[in-house]
Amino acid sequence: MRIVSGASTDTGQVREGNEDSYLVDRRLDLFAVADGMGGHRAGEIASATALDGLRLAVDEGTTVADAVGRANTAVWDKAAGDTELAGMGTTLTAAVFDDGTLTIAHVGDSRAYLLRGDRLERLTTDHSLVEELIRDGKLTEEQAAVHPQRSIITRALGVDSSVEVDVYSLVLQGGDRVILCSDGLTSMVRPAAIGTILREHPDPTAAANALVDAANAAGGEDNITVVVLDAHAEAKDPLPSSVAAAIRPRAPGTPAPPVEVVEPTAVGVVTTTTSMDAAAPEPQAPAPPRDTARYREPARARRGWRAVGRVLAFVVPILVIVGVGIAAIGWYARNSYFVGFEQGRVVVYQGRPGGVLLWDPTVVKRTTLQRARLQDDFRQSVSEQKEFGSKAAALAFVARARAQQTPTTTTTASTTTTTAPVAGVTTTSVTAAP
Ligand code: MN
């Protein structure tokens, strides 16, 4: 037996970008669909990162369930290393074919269906809010299809360091057709219509394209991705698709019998839940409301501490960077000296004229040198608050100014001198109350 596949993906009619990704690896007989979420391009990166991690792990001989765990780690690590990607996540529905058996590993609300003859059977259970409500008998399938919170998922890759993975094992028969699809298909096209379209297109690529077209025709409100897998009974099957042979021949004009739709938990599918986390199993609890996000995290006490750890992982490096920046600015602000006038006399300051951010200049030395007695060029330099690279250079300047000052000791001129306060220097003035 061998698999012949086709795939199609489309942005749809509403979304700006396509955050879905799919994987078709014929060498590994590995197929997958991932539906990413997150701001800007994060969703796109999440789904692509998950598929890269999955393929790498399967290629190294990891089971598909463990490979989904590795994909989770890849997305988690990438999100932790980039604040722009924080909070990103993705669904992942992966199938690996080996020796007649298709093993499906699944997290999220993308789906796998099996078309066998006239029956379309859903193989996967959605990890979504509405699916939980259906399971509890609070919603019907029809109500769920139009529920405003139908896109909220309760399990996703990349939102925690570990993830529970549903694993399904299916022994394929020749003529079986399996599809993997994102919710952009299933939210727009009812299962019966999906079954009908699959039967109408023997070629897997044509079938994938036709499903994407149907979702777009119905509104295309989300990204749409479909991977179609056809099981060929013989290794060298000459037919383009065994699905064509599986469809019963009928007289021209005779309508095809309706596709029987079977919801999951029905037939011959082994369902196990695998936890990638070696720690003790965590109790499941109802999810808290968070309407704006596609992912709704189950409420668990441990998550609080994980969140704290995650926040610290972001905050601590930022604090270090900010601290180094402040130190650098402080060093710049204080690693200079300048001269200025204060009450008609030359003063040497440490710092920058006017100060830098929080660092105001401080007085190093108040001299007895009077403004009125300075040579013109020295007076101008002091007025312009000439800067020096060291305290010694500043004091040397003062010494030269003193040596060249006007020899007279007459101080009458200084009484008319007005001085401007040095900008940024903190001066305290006390005003007596009248
Ligand atoms: Mn989607």
Side-chain angles (χ1 to χ4, degrees):
M1 186 176 286
R2 69 194 172 96
I3 298 290
V4 177
S5 66
S8 186
T9 187
D10 192 74
T11 304
Q13 306 295 307
V14 176
R15 299 295 174 87
E16 295 261 311
N18 191 347
E19 299 190 317
D20 287 0
S21 299
Y22 71 85
L23 170 65
V24 170
D25 190 318
R26 296 201 171 85
R27 182 176 64 84
L28 297 172
D29 262 339
L30 173 65
F31 312 90
V33 165
D35 177 352
M37 58 190 181
H40 304 290
R41 287 186 63 247
E44 202 179 317
I45 292 166
S47 60
T49 302
L51 294 184
D52 285 346
L54 174 83
R55 190 211 301 252
L56 198 67
V58 170
D59 199 18
E60 290 171 1
T62 310
T63 67
V64 68
D66 289 345
V68 171
R70 288 266 299 273
N72 178 68
T73 305
V75 180
W76 169 257
D77 287 348
K78 194 154 200 157
D82 188 337
T83 51
E84 296 227 329
L85 302 179
M88 72 174 178
T90 182
T91 75
L92 180 56
T93 302
V96 71
F97 176 74
D98 185 33
D99 196 24
T101 298
L102 195 69
T103 305
I104 295 168
H106 164 73
V107 174
D109 68 349
S110 299
R111 291 180 178 178
Y113 283 93
L114 166 68
L115 179 72
R116 180 173 285 172
D118 289 328
R119 276 165 55 105
L120 183 72
E121 183 182 344
R122 197 169 122 199
L123 300 174
T124 51
T125 303
D126 293 351
H127 303 131
S128 68
L129 186 66
V130 291
E131 186 104 336
E132 287 177 4
L133 295 173
I134 291 169
R135 215 178 301 141
D136 295 345
K138 290 174 183 162
L139 274 187
T140 65
E141 286 282 339
E142 285 65 35
Q143 289 169 329
V146 294
H147 195 280
Q149 293 187 316
R150 63 184 178 277
S151 68
I152 302 276
I153 57 175
T154 51
R155 226 195 275 179
L157 262 65
V159 299
D160 205 341
S161 59
S162 70
V163 69
E164 290 171 58
V165 184
D166 289 353
V167 183
Y168 307 82
S169 192
L170 175 70
V171 177
L172 290 180
Q173 301 173 5
D176 280 352
R177 169 171 274 183
V178 170
I179 69 163
L180 311 176
C181 59
S182 64
D183 69 329
L185 174 68
T186 51
S187 63
M188 291 286 117
V189 185
R190 305 298 297 139
I194 291 173
T196 302
I197 292 165
L198 286 173
R199 285 196 314 186
E200 285 170 356
H201 296 87
D203 177 72
T205 302
N209 287 332
L211 288 171
V212 168
D213 289 347
N216 272 325
E221 290 173 12
D222 195 3
N223 307 143
I224 312 142
T225 302
V226 183
V227 174
V228 177
L229 311 175
D230 287 341
H232 288 232
E234 301 303 321
K236 290 189 170 63
D237 193 339
L239 294 173
S241 168
S242 57
V243 169
I247 298 172
R248 285 191 297 278
R250 55 182 189 270
T254 309
V259 175
E260 181 196 353
V261 176
V262 184
E263 291 300 331
T265 71
V267 188
V269 175
V270 178
T271 307
T272 52
T273 299
T274 306
S275 174
M276 295 296 117
D277 196 358
E282 299 165 68
Q284 294 285 345
R290 201 173 79 195
D291 294 343
T292 50
R294 174 154 150 74
Y295 176 69
R296 179 177 289 184
E297 201 172 2
R300 294 172 190 175
R302 278 177 55 185
R303 290 184 185 279
W305 291 108
R306 284 182 187 169
V308 168
R310 212 174 168 185
V311 167
L312 287 178
F314 286 120
V315 168
V316 169
I318 290 167
L319 289 179
V320 169
I321 290 164
V322 170
V324 168
I326 288 171
I329 294 167
W331 181 86
Y332 167 80
R334 299 293 295 158
N335 189 42
S336 182
Y337 297 81
F338 68 97
V339 288
F341 289 116
E342 194 178 294
Q343 291 168 359
R345 294 179 192 269
V346 174
V347 176
V348 177
Y349 301 92
Q350 184 179 4
R352 305 271 171 182
V356 177
L357 297 181
L358 300 172
W359 291 272
D360 286 334
T362 52
V363 173
V364 171
K365 184 179 173 70
R366 291 181 206 277
T367 70
T368 55
L369 264 182
Q370 294 172 17
R371 178 190 181 110
R373 292 183 58 202
L374 289 182
Q375 296 277 359
D376 286 349
D377 52 342
F378 282 104
R379 186 182 302 122
Q380 183 164 352
S381 291
V382 177
S383 296
E384 290 171 355
Q385 301 187 324
K386 183 178 171 66
E387 290 190 67
F388 303 91
S390 68
K391 186 176 172 180
L395 295 177
F397 169 86
V398 170
R400 288 199 304 279
R402 186 186 301 281
Q404 294 180 36
Q405 67 184 324
T406 311
T408 176
T409 55
T410 307
T411 58
T412 48
S414 68
T415 57
T416 60
T417 303
T418 55
T419 59
V422 175
V425 175
T426 307
T427 54
T428 306
S429 59
V430 177
T431 308

